Amino acid sequence: MKKKVLQSAWLVFILLFLYLPILILAVYSFTESTMIGSLRAFSLHNYKTLFTTPELTDMIWGTVFLAVGVAVLSTVLGTLGAVGVYYSGQGLRKSIEFANQIPVVNSDVVTGFSVCVLLIVFFGVDKDTYIPLVVGQTVLCTPFVYLSVMPKLKQMDGDLYVAALDLGCTPAQALWRVIFRELIPGILSGFMTAVTLSLDDYFIATYTKPATFNTISTYVVNATRGARTEIKTALWALSTVIFVLVVAFVAVMNLGKGKESRADG
């Protein structure tokens, strides 16, 4: 009994350590406070500022479009790469899996600076375009899509592709109608991981973005260095909105998995 109480207390402590700062920020986002520690009356002023200030709305939509575009590219490249590696020889498979680990464990600063040097300095790509930014974030996200899809391939029956060919499918039909259908959970997981990484990225965006463009991460960092007070407090509301959306997505995913498990049972 004492052991269970200690385990429960430790779990509560960990959850509070992880989520209490976010919850405090969410509470202050619904007040007229201009600084953490001075709680004032309830207000939706921060949310009104967030959704009616062109500077903020342009930054948010730009970041969302960038994240979705990078996620689509990363999902296509990561999925095709995982399928290709899975059906390759063992030597090639190990070499590519080793190479795929490098961007995962590598520092984002190194990746961002390397892409900047390669594209802007070496190839002469204009930094005022979005090419370096998209390429840099795609390099960051694609390995994580690969890691999301590969376990689904390993769980899949390896003879499905051959069986589809024997039943009359062309190689393209077997890949699209059979293999990709089995990989949908891994593909969706990789896509959402890529979206999250793009939204969260700061270092690669800092090195490669056009001067007139800001992502949420770069804007927030710059806002802490002298932005208007109403902009700073509106970012509390933005953090709360992002957190609620993430919680809602995770809840929907878990409900979907629960229904799928009951159906399989």
Side-chain angles (χ1 to χ4, degrees):
M1 182 66 180
K2 184 177 179 180
K3 183 178 180 181
K4 290 183 178 180
V5 171
L6 290 174
Q7 289 176 341
S8 300
W10 179 249
L11 178 61
V12 170
F13 173 77
I14 295 297
L15 291 175
L16 287 175
F17 180 79
L18 291 174
Y19 296 112
L20 188 58
I22 301 175
L23 295 177
I24 292 175
L25 194 65
V27 170
Y28 275 89
S29 72
F30 288 100
T31 69
E32 295 180 354
S33 301
T34 57
M35 59 183 297
I36 302 295
S38 176
L39 195 61
R40 296 182 181 176
F42 174 84
S43 174
L44 294 176
H45 172 73
N46 292 327
Y47 290 88
K48 180 181 178 181
T49 302
L50 176 65
F51 294 114
T52 59
T53 304
E55 179 183 348
L56 292 174
T57 54
D58 291 346
M59 175 268 296
I60 293 170
W61 283 115
T63 304
V64 170
F65 287 139
L66 172 67
V68 172
V70 167
V72 170
L73 285 174
S74 301
T75 301
V76 171
L77 293 174
T79 301
L80 293 179
V83 172
V85 169
Y86 181 75
Y87 287 103
S88 298
Q90 185 175 4
L92 180 60
R93 183 186 306 176
K94 288 184 177 180
S95 299
I96 295 179
E97 287 182 347
F98 173 78
N100 185 76
Q101 294 292 333
I102 296 176
V104 174
V105 300
N106 194 22
S107 172
D108 290 355
V109 176
V110 177
T111 301
F113 186 69
S114 300
V115 171
C116 179
V117 171
L118 178 65
L119 294 181
I120 298 175
V121 178
F122 188 78
F123 286 109
V125 177
D126 189 355
K127 191 180 178 181
D128 289 333
T129 67
Y130 292 90
I131 294 175
L133 176 59
V134 172
V135 171
Q137 290 200 348
T138 302
V139 170
L140 170 70
C141 298
T142 300
F144 290 92
V145 176
Y146 175 95
L147 292 175
S148 297
V149 174
M150 184 57 73
K152 293 297 180 183
L153 279 165
K154 293 180 179 179
Q155 294 171 8
M156 184 183 67
D157 187 343
D159 295 327
L160 280 177
Y161 181 76
V162 177
L165 296 178
D166 291 340
L167 292 173
C169 287
T170 64
Q173 289 174 334
L175 185 64
W176 180 255
R177 296 182 179 180
V178 178
I179 303 301
F180 282 163
R181 186 169 296 180
E182 293 291 320
L183 300 180
I184 287 177
I187 293 173
L188 290 177
S189 176
F191 177 82
M192 292 309 303
T193 301
V195 169
T196 303
L197 288 171
S198 177
L199 291 173
D200 185 60
D201 171 60
Y202 171 74
F203 291 106
I204 293 176
T206 298
Y207 281 113
T208 59
K209 72 178 183 67
T212 57
F213 178 77
N214 265 314
T215 63
I216 291 176
S217 57
T218 59
Y219 186 90
V220 169
V221 172
N222 293 331
T224 60
R225 301 172 182 170
R228 301 191 309 271
T229 300
E230 62 179 8
I231 295 295
K232 292 181 180 180
T233 56
L235 294 176
W236 300 349
L238 176 60
S239 301
T240 303
V241 171
I242 293 174
F243 178 71
V244 170
L245 291 176
V246 170
V247 171
F249 174 77
V250 172
V252 170
M253 289 290 291
N254 287 336
L255 288 174
K257 290 180 180 179
K259 292 180 179 179
E260 184 178 337
S261 299
R262 288 193 295 269
D264 293 339

